[in-house]
Amino acid sequence: MMKTLIFATHNLHKISEVREILGQDLKILSLEDIHCEKDIPETSRTIAGNALQKARYVHKISGLNCFADDTGLEVSALNNAPGVLSARYAGKEKDSAANIQKILAALHYKTNRRAQFRTVIALIIDGKEKLFEGTVQGTITTSSRGVSGFGYDPIFIPDGYSETFSEMSASLKNKISHRAVAIRLLTEYLSEIR
Ligand code: IMP
């Protein structure tokens, strides 16, 4: 029988990315599928801490095997900011357009535009906790480009490509992204233990 895991997120973009990356390997249930409408707290000072906090929260209320991801954009010239504060970089509202404008303004006079996305996935399975990390290196553009994806995708060009994540197809982003790397490690682990 296909293994089932809850993905502890309300972000529909993340759900569809993870479902595409996993294909038929695993059945992913969303929080909506288990009728959890609660806003999950993420108050840790680290990306790994937030991923664990979200996974523990959902495991506690559901008792089911689950995982959560937390992602940050780390910009070299900004001392790796916004990092764990990526969602609220420009304020409390998780406003991606405002977050992007704030990064572009902060880098206006900088020649070093290197950055990376870092995703940590926290898995809780049969009561055990396990972390998986994925990163992708790249550069920040000077303006927003493209319409697909979400978050900071319109200003991030992964190394080896000339398009931003928002300009490339979803299937290409899902082959090379930080989230894809972390999800592959998760599936390798699941196939080892089951
Ligand atoms: P969180 O992991 O949902 O807390 O996301 C933190 C911030 O990073 C939010 O502003 C997201 O929109 C953004 N983010 C998360 N994953 C991605 C991604 O794959 N591409 C671009 N931005 C992302």
Side-chain angles (χ1 to χ4, degrees), residues 11 14 17 42 54 69-73 86-88 96 99 117 150-153 165 173 178-179:
N11 183 329
K14 286 186 179 179
E17 282 190 9
E42 34 185 314
K54 291 187 265 189
D69 95 335
D70 198 67
T71 297
L73 177 66
S86 292
R88 291 171 186 80
S96 288
N99 288 340
F117 275 115
F150 68 103
Y152 294 95
D153 281 347
F165 269 158
K173 179 188 174 192
H178 44 297
R179 189 162 294 105

Side-chain angles (χ1 to χ4, degrees), residues 139 141 145 156-165 167-168 172:
T139 51
T141 53
R145 286 168 31 187
F156 184 85
I157 301 178
D159 284 352
Y161 297 84
S162 53
E163 316 104 293
T164 64
F165 269 158
E167 290 174 309
M168 58 180 58
L172 180 53

Side-chain angles (χ1 to χ4, degrees), residues 94-192:
K94 302 193 181 184
D95 178 342
S96 288
N99 288 340
I100 283 175
Q101 285 319 311
K102 189 167 173 184
I103 298 271
L104 293 179
L107 290 183
H108 194 59
Y109 295 106
K110 312 264 192 208
T111 47
N112 176 6
R113 304 188 74 88
R114 299 292 301 158
Q116 70 172 3
F117 275 115
R118 178 195 304 278
T119 285
V120 175
I121 288 179
L123 169 72
I124 302 183
I125 190 153
D126 303 333
K128 265 199 307 200
E129 295 180 341
K130 190 92 186 139
L131 297 179
F132 307 92
E133 182 176 284
T135 58
V136 61
Q137 318 285 320
T139 51
I140 301 294
T141 53
T142 51
S143 60
S144 249
R145 286 168 31 187
V147 291
S148 64
F150 68 103
Y152 294 95
D153 281 347
I155 56 167
F156 184 85
I157 301 178
D159 284 352
Y161 297 84
S162 53
E163 316 104 293
T164 64
F165 269 158
S166 282
E167 290 174 309
M168 58 180 58
S169 65
S171 63
L172 180 53
K173 179 188 174 192
N174 290 334
K175 269 197 198 93
I176 62 175
S177 79
H178 44 297
R179 189 162 294 105
V181 173
I183 285 285
R184 262 181 240 121
L185 294 173
L186 166 83
T187 46
E188 274 166 33
Y189 175 75
L190 289 173
S191 61
E192 278 164 20

Side-chain angles (χ1 to χ4, degrees), residues 57-111:
Y57 183 92
V58 169
H59 184 253
K60 196 170 171 192
I61 60 168
S62 70
L64 300 169
N65 291 332
C66 64
F67 69 96
D69 95 335
D70 198 67
T71 297
L73 177 66
E74 299 175 334
V75 180
S76 303
L78 305 178
N79 294 320
N80 292 333
V84 70
L85 301 175
S86 292
R88 291 171 186 80
Y89 186 47
K92 280 202 172 133
E93 329 74 11
K94 302 193 181 184
D95 178 342
S96 288
N99 288 340
I100 283 175
Q101 285 319 311
K102 189 167 173 184
I103 298 271
L104 293 179
L107 290 183
H108 194 59
Y109 295 106
K110 312 264 192 208
T111 47

